[in-house]
Amino acid sequence: MSGPLQPAESPGFLLWRATLRWQRSIAAVLAPFELTHVQFVLLACAWWANEHDELPNQAALARQAGTDVRMTSQVLRALEARGLLERRPDGDDARARTIVATRKGKALAPKAIAAVEAADAEFFAAIPKERAIHFLSVLAGG
């Protein structure tokens, strides 16, 4: 009869540990920008959408980022208070707000994205190139 897996044999436990290490590395690179990870994700998603001529509302941004709608609203208000985003009335839905990166947000987002991408590249460098596509597919749920 076999007992429970040892921690080093448990994929879930190992993923948990890897996630914590990755989150620490991302937090460290975002600290100079004075952004939390969720602030970064929402700013980056809004900036990306705006750069592609899209004006997402808060709900669409939450879906794209995979975040809770209420929490997204709170984080967007904080980013707005810092002058990084504007929440404008949505012409199609009086209850909704579209999200637009300000000049300050447009300047900060690409710098923060580059820092996070560099941290990701360093963190995931141990994955052989030939396995990276499969790894990304697994992460995407495919």
Side-chain angles (χ1 to χ4, degrees):
M1 177 176 182
S2 65
L5 294 175
Q6 296 297 313
E9 300 170 327
S10 171
F13 181 73
L14 294 174
L15 179 60
W16 169 253
R17 298 281 310 268
T19 299
L20 291 175
R21 283 194 323 272
W22 174 74
Q23 288 175 339
R24 282 192 298 271
S25 73
I26 297 302
V29 300
L30 289 174
F33 301 103
E34 298 180 4
L35 291 170
T36 66
H37 200 165
V38 71
Q39 287 173 336
F40 162 74
V41 169
L42 291 170
L43 175 62
C45 287
W47 173 83
W48 187 91
N50 294 168
E51 288 294 303
H52 291 87
D53 298 322
E54 297 174 20
L55 295 174
N57 63 29
Q58 291 179 177
L61 201 59
R63 276 191 307 277
Q64 181 183 9
T67 54
D68 175 77
V69 176
R70 287 189 190 117
M71 184 266 299
T72 297
S73 181
Q74 292 172 341
V75 173
L76 292 175
R77 278 195 293 274
L79 291 170
E80 186 177 36
R82 286 192 53 201
L84 298 172
L85 296 176
E86 290 180 5
R87 296 178 318 138
R88 299 177 181 168
D90 186 328
D92 297 328
D93 182 349
R95 299 167 298 161
R97 299 276 183 231
T98 57
I99 308 304
V100 179
T102 63
R103 185 178 319 153
K104 186 177 174 182
K106 288 177 184 179
L108 182 64
K111 293 174 188 174
I113 291 168
V116 167
E117 287 178 349
D120 279 351
E122 183 178 332
F123 187 85
F124 294 106
I127 299 172
K129 296 277 187 210
E130 61 274 4
R131 293 188 180 184
I133 293 172
H134 176 70
F135 180 71
L136 290 173
S137 173
V138 170
L139 289 178

